[in-house]
Amino acid sequence: MAWIVLIVSGVLEAVWATALGKSEGFSRLTPSIVFGVALVASMGGLAYAMRELPVGTSYAVWVGIGATLTVVYAMVTGAESTSLAKIVCIMAIVGGVIGLKLAH
């Protein structure tokens, strides 16, 4: 169960990171609210997962999922350019997250 919660929390990290960018310095209400709710839920899930999983592994997986999804979303929506180098680096992050899961 801790792994499922950790993965969902990583997804929520991407949500709050994206919402933070769209909030334009908290000047837009809806993205600011999405940011706050997703942040609290993401941190709560990370804290829950850390009760059963090692801190280092939990944090690395959480950040890896969040960073990967944030960049992929930005590339898909055109907010960020796409390149082979970026795709290779994202795959390296994904590989590292999978490796941490398999090593646990």
Side-chain angles (χ1 to χ4, degrees):
M1 183 61 144
W3 280 103
I4 293 169
V5 171
L6 182 61
I7 291 167
V8 171
S9 296
V11 172
L12 288 170
E13 184 196 3
V15 170
W16 68 252
T18 301
L20 179 61
K22 292 183 182 289
S23 75
E24 298 176 9
F26 300 114
S27 65
R28 296 181 61 218
L29 181 60
T30 301
S32 298
I33 291 170
V34 171
F35 164 78
V37 171
L39 177 68
V40 169
S42 180
M43 291 290 176
L46 176 61
Y48 175 85
M50 284 182 173
R51 295 186 324 180
E52 293 182 30
L53 302 172
V55 171
T57 299
S58 298
Y59 186 70
V61 169
W62 181 75
V63 169
I65 291 169
T68 298
L69 292 177
T70 302
V71 172
V72 168
Y73 177 80
M75 286 193 281
V76 167
T77 61
E80 189 167 323
S81 64
T82 304
S83 69
L84 180 60
K86 286 183 181 181
I87 293 169
V88 168
C89 291
I90 290 168
M91 294 306 294
I93 294 170
V94 171
V97 168
I98 292 169
L100 286 170
K101 168 62 173 128
L102 294 174
H104 183 263

